[in-house]
Amino acid sequence: MTAESFWNSIVLYNQNTKNIQPVFLLLIIVSVIFSLSCKIKNFAKIALGAANLFIAISFFGFYGTENIQKFFALPLYALCGILFIYEAFKNKDDRLTLSSSIQLILLFLYCLYPVISAMLNHRFPKIVTYIMPCPIISLSIALYSCYSKKNKLLMLLLVLWGLTGIKALFFNVYEDLILLLCAIYGIFILVKEFRAARKSKAEKV
């Protein structure tokens, strides 16, 4: 995949989804507010699931042109979306809690995505917005880490895509260093989860 094809996908996506993207952004904001207030604890997971499925279908399904987008990114995002919705109902009483300064920093960086993109002289439609593959995964990692119960497969998939943030150095998309930072934090969370599972298993023996 070349930098040109990467940015061409972004341009096509932005031109054709400029009206629906604000709807998803509003949905996510409302869902986080409701989840934090405990009115609908699993709302944020449902919104993240819907956003990941939207990215899979629209960005990679309709506007993706490369095999890696069709046969790697599309199923990865679709599976993330399905797992988020599954987790929303499996652990529907699990509370969204912002308990770490790192989580707050990552959420703040997510908010800066289009700002940084604009500072790098990118202009609509050739700009990274909030409802795009890398920002959505960044947000997914940051928010999902705020729940006490985590699906390790889901977190692994999020981190896997998060590590593609390294492309920031090759595709002139330096805003995706945010994605890479989120992936590094996701790895920390994964290691913590696996250690906790191993300790729990050892205590049962």
Side-chain angles (χ1 to χ4, degrees), residues 84-132:
F84 263 122
I85 294 172
Y86 168 77
E87 282 297 303
F89 292 98
K90 180 185 178 184
N91 298 305
K92 61 182 179 179
D93 292 322
D94 194 13
R95 184 178 176 182
L96 176 67
T97 306
L98 295 172
S99 57
S100 166
S101 57
I102 297 177
Q103 294 166 346
L104 290 172
I105 290 170
L106 294 180
L107 287 172
F108 176 69
L109 288 175
Y110 165 77
C111 293
L112 291 181
Y113 240 112
V115 177
I116 295 174
S117 194
M119 290 173 63
L120 292 169
N121 294 319
H122 296 143
R123 297 292 180 266
F124 190 87
K126 191 178 180 180
I127 191 171
V128 178
T129 63
Y130 290 117
I131 309 299
M132 271 190 179

Side-chain angles (χ1 to χ4, degrees), residues 33-45:
I33 293 172
F34 271 75
S35 294
L36 284 172
S37 66
C38 294
K39 292 182 178 179
I40 309 177
K41 296 178 183 178
N42 62 351
F43 196 0
K45 290 180 184 177

